[in-house]
Amino acid sequence: MDPEEFRKAGHQVVDWIADYLANIRDYPVLPVTSPGQLAASLPPSAPEAGEPIERILDDFAERILPHVNHWNHPRFHGYFSVSASGPGILGEMLMSALNVNAMLWKSCPAATELEQVTLEWLRQWLDLPVGWFGIIYDTASTSVMHAIAAAREAAFPENRTGGGLRDAVCYTSAHAHNSFEKGAISLGIGQRNVRLIGVDDNFAMRADLLAAAVEEDRQAGRKPFCVCATVGTTSTTAIDPVAAIADIAEAAGMWLHVDAAYAGPTAILPEMRQHFAGCERADSFVLNPHKWLFTPIDISVLYTRRPDILKRAFSLGAEYLKTAQDSSAVNYMDYGVQLGRRFRALKLWFVMRYFGREGISAILRDHLEFAQELAGWIRADSRFEVMAPVSFSLVCFRLTSSNEANQRLLDAINASGRAFLSHTVLNGIFTLRFAIGNIKTNRDDLAGTWSQIQQCAAAL
Ligand SMILES: *Cc1c(COP(=O)(O)O)cnc(C)c1O
């Protein structure tokens, strides 16, 4: 692609993105499509001869886009609502243009040092302990797997050379994200050695049940080595009692990981810090800037107070990767399974600088306030009930009716194309989840979606 052709197509693409973001409300939140429909509409094999970029761009708009879920839509409230902010998109574009590999300091000094600088800035905003080491992975699932690997390295150093992991057990709550179990399975801990601890009426881990499970395992000769507490669970944004869990972890010599993948950014707000009490005692802590920090997917940040252990778990020192700076600079490849790494810090740097702490705080406060407002409307309508405490920006609610009626309500809302919600099941009860977190969501969107929900309920 010659420079002039690139320039012309590049301008077209930027114009398209600007229009797309400006007119995002005109798109249906969800596509009307079914499995295999898009695939069947595309050629079964790639072209032999190259095609003009105009044709590819046309096909993107006409063939691909109709099958896209618009995660950027301000009425996308399923799962957790995320945002590709303007500065984040620009950072992402430059990141792919540079195409550096951030495996070693020497392989791109800027990528390594900007990762250190942005994560230190973010650590300060979040009020996490001075000196914590930060590293960027793709997702929280990858981050937690590395946290468990570090915990394993700390407790079973012989595992590195092939020694067994006999009787290793780890703990999280029955409401934790299943990436913890997946990580434990991947690392050879085994699913049956992951204890899912029961929760209280607010869906938070019961510390007394954790203590009892740890004691029972010790009595049986097993080796508790890791516990994961969650601040903001995926189902309901419940908050585990991190300080009490830290007491148990310390007494048992276990690694404490805190999963704040979604709720973590709210630690920027002094009035929300109460929810993070005890996190300063964690061995590792994760949050996803791609969830609620307005940075495009993917970027997850893991902090640890014990980078030496993480490094011991993952560094090998191959001759062809040795550099003169190995003793004076961080080589991020030594802290994970990946060798090649993207320059993800660049987009986070764009976002943090563009909005500043004040800008980000204002958006987060809006979202927290919207959630309280919505919960108020739901409580004021006697057909509905709120199903879990609203501590962050997720509202769990349902019709006071059968599971089947609630499933039909959810289907009707989502089929309208005007909004997207997802669901969870709480103690056997089908519950709708309304997650707020998109940078464009405003009061009109919120009120519009709520009246849409009310209309769908009336039509049932
Ligand atoms: C979303 C989420 C995860 C998984 O995040 P990925 O980055 O998609 O792997 C883990 N834990 C919690 C609490 C989450 O909300």
Side-chain angles (χ1 to χ4, degrees):
M1 186 172 250
D2 73 45
E4 283 318 309
E5 187 188 4
F6 180 84
R7 190 186 310 280
K8 184 164 166 267
H11 285 147
Q12 273 177 353
V13 167
V14 169
D15 282 343
W16 186 89
I17 295 173
D19 290 342
Y20 168 70
L21 294 175
N23 303 325
I24 186 72
R25 286 183 180 80
D26 299 342
Y27 290 82
V29 187
L30 296 187
V32 179
T33 184
S34 51
Q37 202 180 322
L38 169 63
S41 76
L42 298 175
S45 308
E48 291 298 325
E51 300 183 69
I53 194 73
E54 287 75 23
R55 264 235 314 274
I56 304 172
L57 290 173
D58 284 350
D59 281 350
F60 162 75
E62 283 163 29
R63 295 179 171 227
I64 310 298
L65 203 60
H67 301 271
V68 165
N69 294 22
H70 293 286
W71 286 71
N72 281 314
H73 201 295
R75 296 189 186 188
F76 185 107
H77 299 294
Y79 315 119
F80 282 117
S81 169
V82 302
S83 317
S85 63
I89 296 171
L90 295 173
E92 180 86 43
M93 286 164 70
L94 291 173
M95 176 167 98
S96 33
L98 293 177
N99 199 32
V100 300
N101 191 328
M103 55 192 188
L104 300 163
W105 178 87
K106 192 180 169 68
S107 71
C108 184
T112 295
E113 294 190 21
L114 200 62
E115 188 159 334
Q116 292 176 294
V117 169
T118 50
L119 299 192
E120 168 57 19
W121 288 3
L122 186 59
R123 183 201 64 73
Q124 292 172 14
W125 280 11
L126 299 168
D127 200 31
L128 293 171
V130 175
W132 276 17
F133 171 92
I135 179 168
I136 295 174
Y137 299 112
D138 52 4
T139 59
S141 303
T142 300
S143 293
V144 71
M145 193 202 75
H146 284 85
I148 302 168
R152 182 183 67 177
E153 178 68 24
F156 306 95
E158 68 279 11
N159 178 255
R160 198 186 147 90
T161 50
L165 273 175
R166 287 259 301 277
D167 302 318
V169 281
C170 53
Y171 309 82
T172 193
S173 99
H175 268 248
H177 193 273
N178 70 10
S179 52
F180 182 79
E181 262 182 286
K182 214 192 238 192
I185 293 167
S186 309
L187 294 166
I189 309 298
Q191 196 173 13
R192 75 186 150 93
N193 297 313
V194 181
R195 307 265 181 272
L196 299 180
I197 304 300
V199 296
D200 64 17
D201 291 344
N202 291 331
F203 309 104
M205 192 197 296
R206 274 181 53 185
D208 61 322
L209 294 182
L210 172 67
V214 170
E215 187 49 34
E216 190 189 322
D217 281 323
R218 286 164 63 102
Q219 295 283 337
R222 291 185 282 263
K223 295 173 191 142
F225 77 101
C226 182
V227 57
C228 171
T230 308
V231 176
T233 59
T234 311
S235 257
T236 71
T237 70
I239 303 161
D240 289 343
V242 180
I245 294 168
D247 288 342
I248 296 164
E250 265 165 34
M254 293 190 287
W255 183 284
L256 171 60
H257 176 69
V258 173
D259 180 355
Y262 148 75
T266 62
I268 294 171
L269 306 175
E271 69 272 25
M272 296 298 281
R273 297 249 169 88
Q274 43 169 329
H275 296 316
F276 296 85
C279 290
E280 71 284 355
R281 295 163 65 191
D283 295 290
S284 55
F285 178 98
V286 70
L287 79 158
N288 278 0
H290 78 217
K291 263 191 181 147
W292 205 4
L293 211 56
F294 319 114
T295 313
I297 289 174
D298 51 18
I299 175 169
S300 175
V301 175
L302 182 80
Y303 286 103
T304 178
R305 72 152 107 204
R306 302 170 77 184
D308 48 321
I309 306 278
L310 184 62
K311 187 174 179 185
R312 219 168 67 198
F314 289 104
S315 52
L316 285 168
E319 188 54 44
Y320 50 83
L321 292 168
K322 284 197 176 134
T323 69
Q325 295 81 19
D326 286 354
S327 59
S328 55
V330 166
N331 292 322
Y332 276 114
M333 61 158 264
D334 285 337
Y335 298 84
V337 290
Q338 278 186 272
L339 171 64
R341 308 175 70 252
R342 305 182 74 216
F343 189 177
R344 294 189 181 88
L346 191 61
K347 57 183 170 179
L348 182 58
W349 186 68
F350 268 61
V351 167
M352 293 180 76
R353 290 195 57 192
Y354 183 83
F355 294 105
R357 189 209 294 250
E358 288 173 3
I360 285 177
S361 298
I363 305 165
L364 291 173
R365 286 191 174 111
D366 274 351
H367 292 169
L368 293 165
E369 202 179 299
F370 290 167
Q372 292 305 329
E373 229 164 294
L374 174 66
W377 297 337
I378 294 170
R379 288 192 188 99
D381 184 329
S382 62
R383 294 171 297 172
F384 291 92
E385 59 186 326
V386 172
M387 298 296 290
V390 181
S391 304
F392 298 100
S393 66
L394 173 74
V395 183
C396 291
F397 71 103
R398 73 193 297 266
L399 284 169
T400 52
S401 178
S402 66
N403 283 354
E404 201 245 324
N406 278 284
Q407 174 77 66
R408 277 193 287 136
L409 173 63
L410 180 65
D411 292 344
I413 297 162
N414 291 344
S416 75
R418 308 263 334 274
F420 171 56
L421 272 60
S422 60
H423 80 278
T424 187
V425 174
L426 302 174
N427 298 322
I429 299 173
F430 188 93
T431 300
L432 282 70
R433 290 172 74 267
F434 193 126
I436 298 165
N438 183 279
I439 196 165
K440 284 197 155 72
T441 304
N442 60 31
R443 266 202 180 74
D444 287 347
D445 291 310
L446 201 68
T449 305
W450 172 234
S451 82
Q452 179 83 22
I453 294 169
Q454 288 179 304
Q455 282 164 33
C456 289
L460 277 182

